[in-house]
Amino acid sequence: MTKKWILVVGARPNFMKVAPLIRAIDKHNSSRDSSLVTIHYLLVHTGQHYDATMSDAFFRDLKLPEPDLHLGVGSGNHGEQTGKVLIEFEKVLLKEKPDLVIVVGDVNSTLACALAAVKLHIRVAHVEAGLRSFDRNMPEEINRLLTDAISDYLFTPSPEGDENLAKEGIPPDKIFLVGDIMVDSLLFHLDQAKSTNILSRLGLKPQSSDFRSSSSPLHALGSTLQAPCSTLPYALMTLHRPANVDDKQALEKIVRGLLEVSAHFPILFPVHPRTAKQIKAFGMEGSFEFHSSPDIKSEEYFENGALKKKIHCFAPLGYLDFLNLMSHAKVVLTDSGGIQEETTVLSIPCITLRDTTERPITLTEGTNVLVHNDPEKIVAEVKKVLSGQTRVSQCPSLWDGHTAERIVAILANQG
Ligand code: UD1
């Protein structure tokens, strides 16, 4: 028997969640067990993210197949973007008539595709279900709540996801605790990531000393990944939440903290297009060193052979380069969701520039701490890292690199 599934990607944080699913489906299909259904899948890209650095680079790094269909919706206000995906994806569903649609994460494309499918009585699986920040000003929180409310299979990364869904009245037989799919990609690519040349492009020299704690949760997983990673004296930062970058006062507060942090070590900042636009619009370019690429060669950026203690900005990085920089960073500053999870697995101190998180397990079991946009808290947390007061994380249960296989096994067994 053959089943037809559609997998949806739209924006940057979707790609590393769908790549492991595709590998798991291919593995399932290559099994010799003739009692198993064969899964025919189509990959649909909505085009929410379209820049080469936000999309193509991830297809290349994650070895994703070319999308079978590209909806080309592009940017727009929330209603416009969500509406365009809804209209275009419905046409795909009417033509392809899949048995199942799989959506991941919490971006506008996630909600729009789930909604288009459920209205046509096509079953929907939501991977990364149950996460809640309880902040309805976040567009992602609305996307999460609504996608979960209409999905048939809800795959959660950690137990609090199950609890949130139960409180919202989702029947337990729809909820499956399977672990974190981002970790599948992280563990699959980590060794390869460490061999990219991004450190030397940035003028950073890998050192053989100053190893991160040998009790990183990776040890518990067994594998070649046990090799401890040397840390280098820099902070890695990402920043793109509308609450942080669209509000001038919030951004000014964060930058005040960052300038103080950059007196201690350089901050490496691959800048999201939304943030680049806002820094320009607010006339704040003077606080940053903008580089046309991460190939920093000019002597003016170095002092005694080391990268100057400044905020160094460049275009967004691909998955492998970013992972390489993250794994060597002394500390990560971020307002991203997934990076809070990745730093927990890698046991890297993570300072989150938000006042809530939909991933509280990274606070209780991981290295994560919330500082909102408060400059004093940002600096205080960085000083803790500099004085060696770092937490060692535990790897949450089922964050073991096999989440996608569990999901595919469950879905393939449904009638
Ligand atoms: C989206 C997701 C967010 C996720 C983030 C990761 C929603 C509601 N938000 O936010 O959850 O963390 O992706 O990046 O879905 N732009 C480009 N090139 C691109 C994409 C965007 O220049 O390839 C610019 C456009 O000016 C666009 C702006 O960035 O208007 C924002 O893009 P959009 O997809 O609306 O939201 P993100 O902020 O990227």
Side-chain angles (χ1 to χ4, degrees), residues 13 48-51 75 78 107-108 140 240 272-274 277:
Q48 177 173 344
H49 283 173
Y50 43 85
D51 280 359
S75 298
H78 285 280
V107 301
N108 286 343
E140 294 82 2
H240 71 275
H272 187 286
R274 173 192 284 276
K277 239 191 235 172

Side-chain angles (χ1 to χ4, degrees), residues 153-175:
Y153 306 103
L154 295 107
F155 293 107
T156 58
S158 46
E160 65 278 6
D162 297 47
E163 288 160 25
N164 293 334
L165 295 172
K167 282 185 202 143
E168 288 166 22
I170 308 276
D173 59 348
K174 287 186 170 186
I175 305 170

